[in-house]
Every structure is written in structure tokens, then in C-alpha cells.
């Protein structure tokens, strides 16, 4: 069984690209605190996350640096040869689900007074009333 669940914060804004076939892929790095401390010092792991298709577009459009998210997916490894001829090994999480755990600044509620117009007369057309 290959199943991973992580909760952490984005280290930087997500990076979205498209494959040659037009499929969206977004990558980001998640900072995840370890559940224990090493000599009183909290340790953090930085996990690369990959999302595909609609999930990739949603992450690119609505996530940003510092946002708290939960990721569910699987660990995947791959390898490639770099420009210098060295074999590079990569371990990353391919996300099936990304849950946004807090609102973005764009989604923060309006704290203005909803009753600011209190006391003003409201005009209602009797023909618009449902009773």
C-alpha cells in the first residue's frame, strides 16, 4: 500500500506548467513539521508535491506561499540523467487530493458592519413579495 497524508505549509508559490500534450502539472514544496523535537529544536521536512490536470490548475490559482494544506497521495520515485551525465534520483508525492485548510486573503470575510444602513427606510414593491 502506497498512501501518504501530509499537513503543512507551502514554502513558495506553486509552479504550473503544461506538458506538450496540454496537460496541466503544478509542483510545490510542502514544509511539514516532525511530531518530535530534537533537543528542544523542532525539525521540518520539505516534501516536493506534484499535482495534475484540474487539481493542478486549482492549486496554481488558489494556493500561495505560506498557505496551510492537507495533501493525500502516493510516493513516487523517478530518475533522470542531468546535463553533466550524472544520474539524479527524485522522490516526490503525487497528490490525488489537496485540501485548503485556511482561507486566502482574497477569501477573508468582510468585517464591515452589516447593519450600517440600519434605520433607513427600505422600499419594497408589494408585487415582489411571495405571499
Amino acid at each position: 500500500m502506497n498512501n501518504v497524508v501530509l499537513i503543512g505549509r507551502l514554502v513558495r508559490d506553486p509552479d504550473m506548467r503544461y506538458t506538450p500534450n496540454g496537460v496541466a502539472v503544478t509542483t510545490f514544496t510542502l514544509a511539514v513539521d516532525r511530531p518530535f523535537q530534537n533537543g528542544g529544536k523542532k525539525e521540518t521536512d520539505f516534501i516536493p508535491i506534484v499535482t495534475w490536470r484540474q487539481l493542478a490548475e486549482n492549486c496554481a490559482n488558489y494556493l500561495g506561499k505560506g498557505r496551510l494544506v492537507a495533501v493525500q497521495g502516493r510516493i513516487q520515485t523517478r530518475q533522470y540523467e542531468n546535463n553533466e551525465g550524472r544520474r539524479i534520483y527524485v522522490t516526490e508525492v503525487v497528490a490525488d487530493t489537496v485540501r485548503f485548510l485556511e482561507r486566502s486573503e482574497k477569501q477573508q470575510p468582510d468585517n464591515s458592519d452589516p447593519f450600517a444602513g440600519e434605520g433607513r427606510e427600505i422600499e419594497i414593491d408589494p408585487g415582489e413579495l411571495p405571499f
Side-chain angles (χ1 to χ4, degrees), residues 18-29:
Y18 289 92
T19 66
N21 295 334
V23 178
V25 58
T26 295
T27 58
F28 56 90
T29 302

Side-chain angles (χ1 to χ4, degrees), residues 50-78:
V50 179
T51 59
W52 292 90
R53 297 175 180 74
Q54 185 63 45
L55 180 58
E57 292 178 355
N58 288 341
C59 288
N61 290 331
Y62 299 110
L63 289 180
K65 179 180 177 179
R67 290 286 304 277
L68 184 66
V69 298
V71 173
Q72 183 275 322
R74 67 187 185 282
I75 294 177
Q76 182 171 294
T77 60
R78 59 185 171 90

Side-chain angles (χ1 to χ4, degrees), residues 40-105:
K41 180 182 176 192
K42 187 178 1 178
E43 293 187 5
T44 302
D45 293 304
F46 299 92
I47 314 292
I49 310 293
V50 179
T51 59
W52 292 90
R53 297 175 180 74
Q54 185 63 45
L55 180 58
E57 292 178 355
N58 288 341
C59 288
N61 290 331
Y62 299 110
L63 289 180
K65 179 180 177 179
R67 290 286 304 277
L68 184 66
V69 298
V71 173
Q72 183 275 322
R74 67 187 185 282
I75 294 177
Q76 182 171 294
T77 60
R78 59 185 171 90
Q79 57 185 331
Y80 64 93
E81 201 168 291
N82 70 5
N83 296 338
E84 300 163 358
R86 293 184 49 207
R87 185 161 306 280
I88 304 296
Y89 296 90
V90 178
T91 301
E92 56 202 3
V93 172
V94 177
D96 296 319
T97 305
V98 176
R99 301 271 184 210
F100 304 172
L101 299 180
E102 62 187 6
R103 293 176 179 224
S104 69
E105 290 181 15

